[in-house]
Amino acid sequence: MNEPVVLGIESSCDETGVALVRGTTLLGDSLASSVDEHVRFGGVVPEVASRAHLEAIIPTIERACDDAGLTLADVDAIAVTAGPGLAGALMVGVSSAKALAWALDKPLYGVNHLCAHVCADVLDHGPLPEPTMALLVSGGHTDLLLVRDIVTDVQALGRTIDDAAGEAFDKVARVLGVPYPGGPHLDRLAQQGDPTAIRFPRGLTSARDLEKHRFDFSFSGLKTAVVRWVQQRQQDGLDVPLADVAASFSAAVADVLTRKAIDACQEFGINDLQIGGGVTANTQLRTMAEERCAAAGISLRVPRVRLCTDNGAMVAALGAQVVARGVPPTSLALGTDSSLPVSTSFVA
Ligand code: KG4
Ligand code: ZN
């Protein structure tokens, strides 16, 4: 028997994503981004994002169906990001999903954005090994997750105690006069620089910090260190070597992320590490993760970049896993939860 077709909707931040998935196969997807509308503000403006979702949602659903060569009549279930994320932005996706579920008389599943990021990988590499260690690095999150079962058992081992990794990239970029979002620009600059030129601090890695924050991250001290270093150069009337700063900063981020992720794998005896989220596009992070995993005998799974950034496919992929377990659908009274904990993979 054919597995059900799940339509997934993502609207937690600045991307409106819709996709159709059957099992672990991506049938079609579509994405609309409001990122250009946030550039002049140097960060995502929630009201602007919500308005953009409203305008994009119906055309994006239509394009995803066209891409899959299917119609809404072929859809067996609807999955939607219920949280975490921006309240108004989430509301657009959740309201649309509820309307579709009601109109098509199909079951609705509210799912967790962070678990969906992890689940995106099944579309590229098949079912997740269980247990898997997952490192999620984006503009909104930096989480280290112990995934024993993506539907029923996801445990947060650590998270950032201040800025997310992508947020640190965006803030440092602003200081260097690089446009938003800073990650991709700094990545390009870094490739011309020397990652060992400046020794920037590695947050929460001292013996004392590790006692309390073994698997947590902190990037705000690093950001301040970069700002101070740049200001000092300017005060001294010296040029700021942008490429070296970008490379040394990125190296500090990639070093801590990969070190803690591998330590967690070793401490919990886990052989598989999965990395997701927009910062996964970062060249140094990818290279360092590959080298260090190979040295530690850990197998690394990183989905293609399009599946790492926010998208509808990851939501449909998690929806398909939830449906496959035969759990009861979420009520049409589903609300949004800006701080939905990662331990709640789907809303019962
Ligand atoms: O996952 P994502 O698309 O959106 C969420 O934040 O949920 O991640 C976007 C973040 C931004 O902060 C952006 O600067 C960062 O990912 N990013 C990168 C790179 N590409 C995107 N950071 C470092 N290097 C990159 N190549
Ligand atoms: Zn995300």
Side-chain angles (χ1 to χ4, degrees):
M1 202 186 76
N2 260 341
E3 290 166 292
V5 174
V6 180
L7 181 139
I9 298 180
E10 157 61 33
S11 72
S12 67
C13 190
D14 57 346
E15 326 277 355
T16 316
V18 181
L20 292 94
V21 163
R22 173 184 273 134
T24 57
T25 306
L26 178 58
L27 303 174
D29 73 336
S30 178
L31 194 69
S33 176
S34 62
V35 66
D36 293 343
E37 296 176 49
H38 307 290
V39 170
R40 67 194 170 99
F41 303 107
V44 176
V45 182
E47 282 306 314
V48 173
S50 307
R51 168 73 51 169
H53 285 305
L54 262 183
E55 286 166 5
I57 189 76
I58 290 174
T60 309
I61 293 171
E62 288 169 351
R63 277 198 303 272
C65 288
D66 288 348
D67 190 45
L70 298 174
T71 69
L72 287 175
D74 299 310
V75 171
D76 298 305
I78 316 285
V80 63
T81 300
L86 303 170
L90 287 167
M91 217 174 286
V92 178
V94 167
S95 309
S96 310
K98 282 163 46 168
L100 273 181
W102 184 78
L104 301 170
D105 195 19
K106 296 295 177 190
L108 173 74
Y109 296 87
V111 303
N112 186 300
H113 179 81
L114 306 182
C115 300
H117 265 299
V118 178
C119 206
D121 193 52
V122 305
L123 300 173
D124 268 354
H125 302 115
L128 277 181
E130 286 168 351
T132 285
M133 192 62 69
L135 173 66
L136 181 54
V137 275
S138 72
H141 328 282
T142 306
D143 297 83
L144 195 53
L145 309 173
L146 172 49
V147 183
R148 293 197 181 88
D149 179 321
I150 190 63
V151 176
T152 60
D153 192 351
V154 181
Q155 182 191 347
L157 294 182
R159 67 190 64 79
T160 178
I161 61 166
D162 40 58
D163 294 343
E167 195 178 356
F169 271 94
D170 298 336
K171 288 181 174 172
V172 164
R174 201 186 312 186
V175 172
L176 298 180
V178 171
Y180 173 87
H185 295 285
L186 286 189
D187 194 1
R188 267 190 300 276
L189 264 175
Q191 287 175 45
Q192 268 100 58
D194 174 4
T196 63
I198 310 150
R199 177 74 194 177
F200 286 129
R202 271 62 172 159
L204 300 184
T205 55
S206 71
R208 224 182 67 199
D209 284 337
L210 285 174
E211 275 174 27
K212 209 172 144 210
H213 293 289
R214 180 99 173 83
F215 298 121
D216 289 327
F217 303 95
S218 164
F219 297 106
S220 82
L222 169 61
K223 176 196 66 195
T224 308
V226 175
V227 172
R228 290 225 180 94
W229 193 90
V230 169
Q231 283 171 345
Q232 190 62 52
R233 290 283 293 195
Q234 288 165 336
Q235 275 167 21
D236 296 344
L238 298 168
D239 280 349
V240 176
L242 284 184
D244 284 349
V245 175
S248 302
F249 160 74
S250 309
V253 175
D255 180 21
V256 180
L257 288 174
T258 52
R259 213 192 305 172
K260 292 210 176 195
I262 289 173
D263 284 353
C265 287
Q266 289 173 334
E267 185 160 323
F268 288 89
I270 291 175
N271 296 322
D272 293 272
L273 173 65
Q274 194 266 325
I275 311 190
V279 180
T280 309
N282 186 263
T283 313
Q284 282 184 78
L285 176 61
R286 278 182 177 250
T287 312
M288 217 180 270
E290 279 162 18
E291 287 169 2
R292 291 182 174 183
C293 280
I298 292 166
S299 113
L300 176 68
R301 290 171 48 131
V302 186
R304 75 194 107 136
V305 171
R306 189 178 163 82
L307 292 177
C308 284
T309 53
D310 288 352
N311 64 81
M314 66 188 201
V315 177
L318 178 54
Q321 299 285 320
V322 174
V323 173
R325 300 297 172 92
V327 300
T330 312
S331 145
L332 281 184
L334 172 67
T336 60
D337 184 347
S338 292
S339 47
L340 188 67
V342 73
S343 52
T344 303
S345 190
F346 66 96
V347 182

